[in-house]
Amino acid sequence: MPASSDTPSSRRERPAKPALTRAGLVAAAVAVMETEGLHKVTMRRIAQELDTGPASLYVYVRNAAELHAAVLDELLGRVEPPSEDGTWRERLEKVLTSYAHLLLDRPALARSALVARPSGPHYLDLIEILLALLAEGGVPDGQAAWGVDVLLQHATATAAEHAGRTPGARDREDWHTLETALRDADPGTRPRTAALSGPLLAGPPDARLSWAIQALINGILHTPTP
Amino acid sequence: MPASSDTPSSRRERPAKPALTRAGLVAAAVAVMETEGLHKVTMRRIAQELDTGPASLYVYVRNAAELHAAVLDELLGRVEPPSEDGTWRERLEKVLTSYAHLLLDRPALARSALVARPSGPHYLDLIEILLALLAEGGVPDGQAAWGVDVLLQHATATAAEHAGRTPGARDREDWHTLETALRDADPGTRPRTAALSGPLLAGPPDARLSWAIQALINGILHTPTP
DNA sequence: ACCTGAACACCGTTCAAGT
DNA sequence: ACCTGAACACCGTTCAAGT
């Protein structure tokens, strides 16, 4: 620990540049993500945060994508573990909802989770938890294995999808465009869309997520693998 | 028009720079995407293709994301319409499979489809088709409306997910990392994962997609909306 | 081994100026 | 109105050189 030779708060109160480690790098990246969003988690920005040049980071991380993946896994550590009481279905829904909300609050991370192939320890923990709950519900092994993928994929995609809907977001317009396109569908050429524009757009995200999770569970439970 | 003082096919046979239009811009973008991939569809690259500067494109398109969305919608026009024969389930699966394969062949586009909020005419056509098929199957309106979202989301996410698995891909490693992480799961700490690592990884993409679509349909069919 | 300054090869977007 | 050169403010990654 070389953080020794400093007189009490010398130059500008900076806490004596700690040695660079992978953990420190990831921690800095998480901090920047929480305060400024994932789009600021760039090699250059994090390097600056750590008082070095971008080239230095490549000692600990293969590329920028790997850094984003590490940030994601860090966050996955905050998924709430299954509660003690309730049916397996309720507990399963709770875990997935907790996961979804984590991402719902971090739009850009949700989008990156969809595109990255997570493989960190916290992601593996999450898979184990979901498999255990499905086993508890008596879901056959093969269906459980394939089902976990579908469940996580849906929760992630939903978070990424609704991420743009928040007040201050850049891409609110995209939503508005789709909304009006559906609402203004011509009953002549697109009758079903016109008739269902209400339900297509209706429902708070939470209600839709909850319904989708239950529908997914029902499907997984009742559809044998080949 | 300063392109006048040319003798028949002067300088390098270039076919007399056609007037710029939105359609021409999108066509150029689609061409570049098909030949070089979406990551080459940048404002600068397309501008170069059209013999102009990047600033000129902003007359027809608000930003790069809108250009990508236009390319996506163009491609959605190639989804196969439902066949005449077969049950509604079979026809529904075929449409979704056709959609998924379109994206499976274009990794980067699949990823962008997941993150963009499509609202083009071809996307609306697709929604109409899916709603009609679900109606034919007797799926209640509310469930059909919410179900369409889940079905499209799954097909898109699956395409994006398996996109990286192709031979020449950059991110093959991501897959390999997850694969070995699952296969090497410690039976002590992650027993379910260790036991199911086979099924978790098994199955050709087509079989998994087909199973998931059927599971989704079953779930949608048997889960009433609130 | 670890670290880094500097460079390479790109981006998207804006804006003042031209036609 | 439409178009554009040039600039602004960024990127990721590599590499030769330093310690």
Side-chain angles (χ1 to χ4, degrees):
Chain A
M1 264 192 207
S4 52
S5 67
D6 51 355
T7 56
S9 69
S10 57
R11 64 164 85 174
R12 296 177 62 34
E13 202 71 9
R14 188 179 275 288
K17 189 175 176 180
L20 198 48
T21 61
R22 189 184 210 265
L25 170 52
V26 174
V30 170
V32 168
M33 192 267 276
E34 293 290 31
T35 56
E36 302 172 50
L38 191 70
H39 69 113
K40 289 284 183 188
V41 181
T42 66
M43 299 303 259
R44 292 176 114 102
R45 179 74 180 74
I46 302 303
Q48 174 194 315
E49 203 70 13
L50 294 167
D51 238 337
T52 182
S56 307
L57 308 189
Y58 288 83
V59 176
Y60 304 101
V61 118
R62 247 199 321 273
N63 50 38
E66 190 178 310
L67 184 56
H68 285 183
V71 168
L72 173 62
D73 197 70
E74 202 57 35
L75 235 101
L76 256 29
R78 327 233 266 244
V79 173
E80 281 176 36
S83 49
E84 285 298 321
D85 44 73
T87 67
W88 66 277
R89 283 181 94 105
E90 287 165 353
R91 296 192 292 144
L92 178 52
E93 180 174 336
K94 256 189 212 158
V95 172
L96 286 167
T97 304
S98 154
Y99 168 79
H101 274 93
L102 224 50
L103 295 183
L104 238 5
D105 292 339
R106 292 156 187 95
L109 194 67
R111 282 153 191 237
S112 117
L114 222 36
V115 149
R117 208 106 312 276
S119 62
H122 290 128
Y123 182 71
L124 295 178
D125 286 345
L126 185 53
I127 290 180
E128 178 70 19
I129 288 170
L130 297 177
L131 284 176
L133 287 168
L134 288 170
E136 202 184 314
V139 177
D141 280 358
Q143 289 159 236
W146 287 12
V148 161
D149 216 52
V150 178
L151 287 168
L152 278 176
Q153 199 175 78
H154 181 82
T156 313
T158 299
E161 190 169 289
H162 275 273
R165 236 200 43 139
T166 91
R170 273 280 120 57
D171 40 5
R172 240 205 124 111
E173 290 168 34
D174 292 10
W175 265 97
H176 190 250
T177 313
L178 178 59
E179 238 177 84
T180 56
L182 289 175
R183 205 169 334 260
D184 298 352
D186 173 13
T189 57
R190 296 198 254 257
R192 306 289 321 155
T193 307
L196 294 184
S197 71
L200 277 168
L201 295 164
D206 280 351
R208 289 183 78 135
L209 179 60
S210 171
W211 175 81
I213 290 173
Q214 292 308 323
L216 258 39
I217 295 175
N218 285 335
I220 292 164
L221 201 45
H222 295 115
T223 312
T225 49
Chain B
M1 244 186 226
S4 50
S5 66
D6 51 356
T7 57
S9 73
S10 57
R11 64 167 89 176
R12 301 179 57 36
E13 201 71 8
R14 188 176 274 288
K17 189 176 175 181
L20 198 49
T21 61
R22 189 182 211 265
L25 170 51
V26 173
V30 170
V32 168
M33 191 266 276
E34 293 290 31
T35 56
E36 302 173 50
L38 192 71
H39 69 114
K40 288 286 184 188
V41 180
T42 66
M43 299 303 261
R44 291 175 116 102
R45 180 73 181 75
I46 303 303
Q48 173 194 315
E49 203 70 15
L50 295 167
D51 236 339
T52 181
S56 307
L57 308 189
Y58 287 83
V59 176
Y60 304 100
V61 119
R62 249 200 318 273
N63 49 41
E66 190 178 310
L67 183 57
H68 285 181
V71 168
L72 173 62
D73 197 70
E74 203 57 35
L75 235 101
L76 257 30
R78 327 233 267 243
V79 173
E80 279 176 37
S83 50
E84 286 298 321
D85 43 72
T87 67
W88 67 274
R89 281 180 96 105
E90 288 166 352
R91 296 191 292 144
L92 178 53
E93 181 174 335
K94 255 191 212 156
V95 172
L96 286 168
T97 304
S98 153
Y99 168 80
H101 274 92
L102 223 50
L103 295 183
L104 238 5
D105 293 339
R106 290 156 189 95
L109 193 66
R111 281 153 191 237
S112 117
L114 222 36
V115 148
R117 210 103 311 275
S119 63
H122 291 128
Y123 182 70
L124 297 178
D125 286 345
L126 185 53
I127 290 179
E128 178 70 20
I129 288 169
L130 298 177
L131 285 175
L133 287 167
L134 288 170
E136 202 183 313
V139 177
D141 281 358
Q143 287 158 237
W146 287 12
V148 161
D149 218 49
V150 178
L151 288 169
L152 278 176
Q153 200 175 79
H154 180 82
T156 312
T158 298
E161 192 168 288
H162 275 272
R165 236 198 44 138
T166 92
R170 276 276 119 59
D171 39 6
R172 239 206 127 107
E173 290 168 34
D174 292 10
W175 266 97
H176 190 251
T177 314
L178 179 59
E179 241 176 82
T180 56
L182 289 174
R183 207 169 331 261
D184 298 352
D186 172 14
T189 57
R190 297 197 254 256
R192 305 291 320 157
T193 307
L196 294 184
S197 71
L200 276 168
L201 295 163
D206 280 351
R208 288 183 78 134
L209 178 60
S210 172
W211 175 81
I213 290 173
Q214 293 306 323
L216 259 37
I217 294 175
N218 286 336
I220 292 165
L221 202 46
H222 295 115
T223 312
T225 49

